[in-house]
């Protein structure tokens, strides 16, 4: 499983302009993109997920071209089959935990019923200890529970890779520590490749099998961390 | 008649409100301004525009008459069009505000989970914007019930057909039938208060998560 990303994107108007240019290749199972807020980490992750179309460049995953401006290829987000963990989880407020977890299993015009079930739903409710709160809505859950619901929702579709946007920033420090350990064990168990963006150095220690440093819109340096890495370069800031 | 106007506005207002809220296109604010015009124009001016447009000599009305033999002036259908137009800005504003309040990230989340655009709209966007749209729609119902000027211009006042409550009140007073006027005024007032209360309860209490 490998990601190959070479994209450029300009955002903002004439007064305040931000140029992002990110180039990297990774074959690591766990890749962390580290950088301060405003460096363009979120834009990069959104581009990989297909939620944002870059102005130029190419995105490949496991040999498949997901985006190529010149060849006019842009696989829509729904067809990329990635799991995405949003920073504040983006759970559907009107749906209970079961419905949230089962959300991606049907692509019709109706939401899953309150008592939605299925092998995958039951599996992830158990695996992430959500059975007790299965009928509650996101507004009634703690921060840690919300994160686990978001994880279950992302994993229930059996995604090809998991993209994580600052997964621990919404949690208080004590919980953050425990949750890191839990996520680490979970990822080891299911063996799914991840790309995580973060501005917390501690995340690198836990998940940075390979770490890319993003500053002011460009990849500055690359820490191979002993893994076989591809070429990565800084074009401009 | 008010029900028809409400139904038409619910569908059209929702669609246009969504377009204005989510799609950036040139002249978006101009479109919004033009569609809000009926709210500020004197009803008689609006009624005049309608007469010019859908009257038998109007370009749309003439075409309808020649092609289908349909005549809208002095019919309840004409009254529905007049009432719809006058109240349209209410739904439009409510729908646009409601759609803009929906967190785009929730729609993104649904896309990543494999949903197409229609499914995103009906499963995520509409349920979240619904209370606001419904509140606006109730206001339309109240407004249509009381429609006076534009309806009178287009549809006249035919009892049981194109006569709205407010026109009936006007005629009752003119004819010196105070008891009828009293009853009608009371009905209108009570209905409008109920509608406003319900609409207020439905209005979204800020952005919910």
């Amino acid at each position: 499983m490998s990601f190959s990303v070479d994209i450029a994107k300009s955002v903002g108007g004439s007064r305040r302009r931000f140029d992002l240019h990110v180039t990297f290749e990774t074959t690591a199972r766990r890749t962390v993109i580290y950088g301060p807020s405003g460096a363009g980490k979120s834009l990069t992750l959104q581009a990989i997920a297909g939620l944002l179309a870059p102005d130029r460049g190419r995105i490949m995953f496991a040999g498949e071209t997901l985006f190529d401006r010149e060849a006019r290829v842009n696989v829509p987000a729904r067809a990329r089959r990635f799991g995405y963990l949003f920073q504040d989880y983006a759970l559907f407020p009107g749906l209970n935990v079961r419905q949230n977890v089962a959300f991606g299993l049907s692509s019709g015009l109706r939401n899953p019923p309150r008592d939605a079930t299925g092998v995958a739903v039951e599996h992830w409710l158990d695996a992430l200890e959500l059975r007790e709160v299965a009928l509650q809505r996101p507004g009634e859950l703690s921060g840690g529970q919300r994160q686990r619901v978001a994880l279950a929702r992302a994993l229930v579709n059996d995604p090809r890779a998991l993209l994580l946007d600052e997964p621990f920033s919404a949690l208080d420090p004590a919980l953050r520590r425990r949750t890191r350990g839990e996520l680490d064990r979970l990822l080891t168990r299911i063996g799914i490749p991840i790309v995580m963006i973060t501005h917390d150095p501690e995340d690198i220690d836990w998940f940075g099998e390979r770490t890319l440093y993003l500053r002011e819109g460009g990849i500055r340096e690359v820490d191979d961390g002993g893994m076989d890495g591809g070429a990565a370069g800084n074009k401009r800031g | 008649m008010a029900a028809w106007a409400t139904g038409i506005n619910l569908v059209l207002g929702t669609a246009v409100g969504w377009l204005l809220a989510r799609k950036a296109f040139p002249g978006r604010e101009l479109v919004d301004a033009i569609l809000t015009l009926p709210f500020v124009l004197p009803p008689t001016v609006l009624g005049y525009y309608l007469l010019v447009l859908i009257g038998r000599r109007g370009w749309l009305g003439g075409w309808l008459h020649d092609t289908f033999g349909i005549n809208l002036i002095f019919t309840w259908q004409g009254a529905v069009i007049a009432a719809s137009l006058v109240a349209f800005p209410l739904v439009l504003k409510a729908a646009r505000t409601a759609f803009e309040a929906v967190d785009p990230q929730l729609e993104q989340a649904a896309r990543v989970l494999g949903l197409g655009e229609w499914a995103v709209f009906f499963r995520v966007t509409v349920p979240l914007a619904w209370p606001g749209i419904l509140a606006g729609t109730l206001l339309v119902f109240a407004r249509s019930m009381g429609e006076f000027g534009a309806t009178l211009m287009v549809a006249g006042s035919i009892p049981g057909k194109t006569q709205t409550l407010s026109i009936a009140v006007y005629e009752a007073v003119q004819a010196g039938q105070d008891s009828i006027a009293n009853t009608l005024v009371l009905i209108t007032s009570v209905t409008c208060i109920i509608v406003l209360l319900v609409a207020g309860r439905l209005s979204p209490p800020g952005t919910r998560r």
Side-chain angles (χ1 to χ4, degrees), chain B residues 154-176:
Chain B
V154 173
S157 171
I158 304 166
K161 274 185 78 183
T162 65
Q163 197 178 41
T164 63
L165 266 170
S166 61
I167 295 173
V169 170
Y170 175 76
E171 290 184 345
V173 173
Q174 290 291 305

Side-chain angles (χ1 to χ4, degrees), chain A residues 3 6-7 12 41 54 90 107 128 132 161 184 206 212 219 227 231-232:
Chain A
F3 279 99
D6 180 1
I7 52 168
K41 301 189 299 293
S107 57
L128 290 161
E132 278 176 24
D184 180 36
W206 279 90
L212 307 162
I219 297 275
M227 293 300 294

Side-chain angles (χ1 to χ4, degrees), chain A residues 49 51 77-78 82-84 86-88 90-93 103-104 106-112 139 153-154 157, chain B residues 103-125 127-128 208-209:
Chain A
L51 298 174
R78 64 174 180 277
F82 290 148
Y84 198 111
F86 289 87
Q87 187 168 5
D88 41 16
L91 299 175
F92 304 111
F103 192 89
S106 66
S107 57
L109 296 183
R110 295 175 67 98
N111 279 320
R153 185 181 68 176
N157 277 352
Chain B
D103 184 356
Q105 199 172 62
L106 293 175
E107 298 169 339
Q108 301 278 48
R111 285 186 193 108
V112 177
L113 287 166
L115 268 62
E117 290 305 308
W118 283 103
V120 171
F121 183 70
F122 284 111
R123 287 172 61 176
V124 179
T125 317
L128 289 169
R208 294 169 304 169
R209 293 238 156 193

Side-chain angles (χ1 to χ4, degrees), chain B residues 2-84:
Chain B
W4 271 99
T6 308
I8 290 171
N9 271 330
L10 178 60
V11 175
L12 279 182
T14 303
V16 180
W18 180 79
L19 277 178
L20 289 176
R22 278 289 183 268
K23 300 286 168 193
F25 55 88
R28 174 165 73 161
E29 295 310 318
L30 182 67
V31 170
D32 191 311
I34 289 174
L35 291 173
T36 310
L37 262 186
F39 198 57
V40 288
L41 278 180
T44 45
V45 172
L46 202 66
Y48 183 77
Y49 273 134
L50 273 176
L51 278 178
V52 169
L53 185 67
I54 65 171
R56 199 169 289 182
R57 294 214 188 85
W59 62 265
L60 186 61
W63 178 75
L64 280 175
H65 184 75
D66 295 345
T67 318
F68 302 106
I70 294 173
N71 183 26
L72 289 170
I73 304 304
F74 296 115
T75 63
W76 68 267
Q77 288 92 341
V80 166
I81 292 177
S84 302

Side-chain angles (χ1 to χ4, degrees), chain A residues 67-124:
Chain A
F67 179 87
D68 188 336
R69 186 97 232 176
E70 255 135 58
R72 291 167 183 265
V73 175
N74 188 7
V75 178
R78 64 174 180 277
R80 294 195 183 187
R81 293 190 48 230
F82 290 148
Y84 198 111
L85 193 69
F86 289 87
Q87 187 168 5
D88 41 16
Y89 312 135
L91 299 175
F92 304 111
L95 306 182
N96 67 28
V97 169
R98 263 183 192 283
Q99 290 171 296
N100 265 285
V101 173
F103 192 89
L105 292 176
S106 66
S107 57
L109 296 183
R110 295 175 67 98
N111 279 320
R114 279 173 220 285
D115 55 355
T117 185
V119 179
V121 173
E122 302 305 323
H123 171 75
W124 287 110

Side-chain angles (χ1 to χ4, degrees), chain A residues 1-3 25-31 209-210 227-230:
Chain A
M1 293 292 180
S2 67
F3 279 99
E25 278 182 43
T26 177
T27 52
R29 213 161 37 85
R30 296 178 177 187
T31 304
E209 207 168 89
R210 180 179 151 102
M227 293 300 294
D228 52 336

